[in-house]
Amino acid sequence: MQPVLEIYAPDDFALWPVAEWKSFAYLALNGGLDPAEAGIAIMRIAECNDLDPDPEMDDDRPPRPADPTDSFLHGLLTFEHPFIAGGLRVTDTSTGVTFLPGCCNGLGDWREWSSVTDGSGLAGFGHDPDALAERIGDTVRLTLDREQSDSPVIELSVTELRHLLADAERDLTDFYRLAVDWLAQHLPDQAIRVTAALADALDLPQPNAAPWKPPEHPDHVDA
């Protein structure tokens, strides 16, 4: 299980160095990204929120600043809840089947997986494909596209999923720490504000905040 960011190939982006990447591909986020990969990750996260304020939609955010960098980061810094296209990717290494987040799924919603292990036992992750995770007793079934009757599935235990989620949270936290260092070096004037916005967008604790803990529930669910 990996936290992944959906990437579009940058078009003549020149505000900071970014890695080359294929459009509609996924970048796994962790603490091992090189500076150019971290650069394209920050670029894409900002791009997901790069929308002009729209008063007709009750959008009372301030207008864009004139500075090109501040203008590009404006949405990330002014939306109450920034959005990141992506989610958690799960690969069955024995079969090669890969469960991917669908369109419009947000990486910041990754904690919804806890509803599968410790809540309702059901969670959807976007559309086209309609990715679905459901708990059946002590087993979790991941359906790649529930709109297809013959969709491939991945099955694993609830306990195994909990371990995978802990690993995914660790990857996200390591990426965040890497991003904090990257921002201090490449965007020193905006680093403090972008660091806070990034923690919000990834649903991670702000610096010096108490870490999030999932609710404690027994693994067994009565049929």
Side-chain angles (χ1 to χ4, degrees):
M1 175 176 277
Q2 299 171 304
V4 293
L5 171 65
E6 186 179 13
I7 297 286
Y8 299 140
D11 183 17
D12 298 327
F13 185 80
L15 295 177
W16 57 77
V18 297
E20 294 185 4
W21 211 263
K22 296 179 181 179
S23 285
F24 305 105
Y26 288 98
L27 172 64
L29 301 182
N30 54 58
L33 302 185
D34 65 33
E37 290 171 334
I40 197 172
I42 300 299
M43 181 278 294
R44 177 56 182 148
I45 291 169
E47 186 180 48
C48 287
N49 300 278
D50 187 26
L51 299 172
D52 288 320
D54 187 354
E56 295 185 0
M57 298 296 292
D58 294 326
D59 184 351
D60 59 357
R61 292 180 299 131
R64 288 178 183 267
D67 177 81
T69 300
D70 288 336
S71 176
F72 182 66
L73 295 171
H74 186 64
L76 177 62
L77 297 177
T78 57
F79 273 119
E80 183 177 1
H81 299 294
F83 175 77
I84 303 179
L88 298 185
R89 176 175 64 190
V90 183
T91 302
D92 185 338
T93 56
S94 64
T95 64
V97 172
T98 300
F99 178 91
L100 287 169
C103 178
C104 301
N105 191 72
L107 179 55
D109 297 329
W110 64 273
R111 295 193 192 278
E112 291 184 6
W113 281 85
S114 65
S115 67
V116 180
T117 57
D118 301 297
S120 66
L122 189 71
F125 301 97
H127 58 89
D128 298 326
D130 288 79
L132 177 71
E134 55 185 331
R135 178 172 178 167
I136 305 168
D138 293 329
T139 298
V140 174
R141 177 179 295 161
L142 309 181
T143 302
L144 274 62
D145 189 349
R146 60 178 165 176
E147 294 299 314
Q148 298 182 6
S149 59
D150 59 347
S151 172
V153 300
I154 297 174
E155 292 190 343
L156 66 162
S157 71
V158 173
T159 299
E160 185 177 5
L161 178 56
R162 284 201 180 100
H163 291 317
L164 291 175
L165 288 170
D167 290 341
E169 181 174 9
R170 188 175 304 111
D171 282 341
L172 270 181
T173 301
D174 289 346
F175 165 73
Y176 175 69
R177 291 171 177 164
L178 174 76
V180 169
D181 291 340
W182 185 95
L183 289 164
Q185 296 180 40
H186 294 84
L187 296 173
D189 294 339
Q190 299 88 358
I192 293 176
R193 291 178 296 150
V194 176
T195 293
L198 187 59
D200 183 28
L202 293 172
D203 196 7
L204 291 174
Q206 295 282 348
N208 302 319
W212 176 86
K213 293 183 179 180
E216 294 184 2
H217 293 283
D219 286 349
H220 181 69
V221 172
D222 293 333

